[in-house]
């Protein structure tokens, strides 16, 4: 399965980078490296490295639980590599606004697969809005989590009180919704029908 392969590669590279600062430096999103040296691979490879084990664990658990269903969907719609293309696109699209905003900022760094994972999660919510998910041990419908997640990310992005790239979360979520609807427009009608039939 592509989902498991993505998780395996991300975990291996992240663990290696924890102990190899040079590898971390080569993969992390650092705008001057792209601006000056044309190291465009960083627009994707930043998603292979994480700040710490907790950061990695949260992203990979989320990808594991929701990626498998979306892999089936994208394989059916786009072929064997459909989900991989969707995931890589999520990494790229979710970070582009941040990169463009900070492209001349030598002090800016970004890392982690959160943008692509948000894309996977929100595409899943389109297909199954009333699925019960666990958020910090609290069960809730997926659609409620989506609303809270977007609201929180917008607030924190504007507040700028932490080192988390909330903008990437939002752009990743938007990418997941838009691309899923472009790939299969009938999903929108299905989503509305599901919303009108709550199952708590």
């Amino acid at each position: 399965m592509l989902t498991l392969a993505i998780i395996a590669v991300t975990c291996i590279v992240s663990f290696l980078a924890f102990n190899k600062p040079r590898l971390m430096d080569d993969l992390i999103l650092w705008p001057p490296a792209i601006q000056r040296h044309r190291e465009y691979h960083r627009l994707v490879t930043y998603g292979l490295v994480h700040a710490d084990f907790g950061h990695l664990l949260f992203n990979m658990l989320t990808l594991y639980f929701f990626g498998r269903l979306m892999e089936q969907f994208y394989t059916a719609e786009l072929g064997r590599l459909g989900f991989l293309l969707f995931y890589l696109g999520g990494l790229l699209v979710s970070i582009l606004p941040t990169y463009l905003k900070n492209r001349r900022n030598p002090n800016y760094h970004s890392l982690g697969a959160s943008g692509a994972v948000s894309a996977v999660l929100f595409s899943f919510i389109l297909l199954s809005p009333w699925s019960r998910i666990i958020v910090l041990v609290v069960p809730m419908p997926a659609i409620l989590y989506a609303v809270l997640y977007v609201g929180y990310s917008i607030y924190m992005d504007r507040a700028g009180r932490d080192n988390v790239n909330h903008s990437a979360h939002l752009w990743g979520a938007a990418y997941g919704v838009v691309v899923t609807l472009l790939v299969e427009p009938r999903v929108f009608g299905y989503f509305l029908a599901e919303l009108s039939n709550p199952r708590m």
Side-chain angles (χ1 to χ4, degrees):
M1 294 174 63
L2 282 173
T3 302
L4 295 180
I6 293 170
I7 292 172
V9 171
T10 304
C11 286
I12 291 170
V13 175
S14 289
F15 277 119
L16 288 173
F18 289 154
N19 300 307
K20 295 180 181 293
R22 177 63 184 272
L23 179 61
M24 178 73 77
D25 290 343
D26 287 343
L27 299 180
I28 198 170
L29 179 77
W30 184 52
I34 300 172
Q35 190 78 0
R36 301 171 191 167
H37 307 298
R38 303 183 186 278
E39 295 180 5
Y40 297 113
H41 66 272
R42 292 176 183 265
L43 292 169
V44 171
T45 59
Y46 78 95
L48 293 174
V49 290
H50 288 76
D52 51 41
F53 178 73
H55 187 204
L56 174 65
L57 180 64
F58 181 81
N59 276 337
M60 294 302 99
L61 279 177
T62 304
L63 181 58
Y64 175 76
F65 286 117
F66 302 107
R68 291 172 296 168
L69 176 65
M70 297 319 303
E71 180 180 343
Q72 293 175 16
F73 173 85
Y74 273 95
T75 299
E77 297 293 335
L78 299 179
R80 288 172 51 189
L81 297 180
F83 181 70
L84 179 61
L85 295 174
F86 171 73
Y87 185 84
L88 294 176
L91 286 174
L92 179 61
V93 171
S94 65
I95 203 64
L96 274 179
T98 300
Y99 164 67
L100 293 173
K101 180 180 178 181
N102 293 279
R103 64 185 182 277
R104 293 184 176 86
N105 181 2
N107 298 315
Y108 185 83
H109 298 82
S110 188
L111 75 173
S114 300
V117 172
S118 292
V120 173
L121 175 59
F122 273 72
S123 62
F124 169 85
I125 291 170
L126 273 181
L127 298 181
S128 190
W130 295 111
S131 289
R132 181 164 296 190
I133 62 177
I134 307 297
V135 182
L136 299 176
V137 308
V138 178
M140 67 177 66
I143 188 63
L144 174 59
Y145 173 74
V147 172
L148 294 175
Y149 182 91
V150 170
Y152 174 77
S153 295
I154 291 173
Y155 172 78
M156 292 302 292
D157 185 50
R158 291 178 176 175
R161 295 175 182 171
D162 55 23
N163 292 320
V164 177
N165 188 352
H166 296 284
S167 170
H169 297 174
L170 290 167
W171 282 103
Y175 165 88
V177 170
V178 170
V179 171
T180 301
L181 292 178
L182 288 174
V183 167
E184 179 46 88
R186 289 177 295 181
V187 168
F188 184 64
Y190 175 80
F191 174 71
L192 294 179
E194 286 290 295
L195 283 186
S196 66
N197 184 30
R199 296 188 298 277
M200 304 296 285

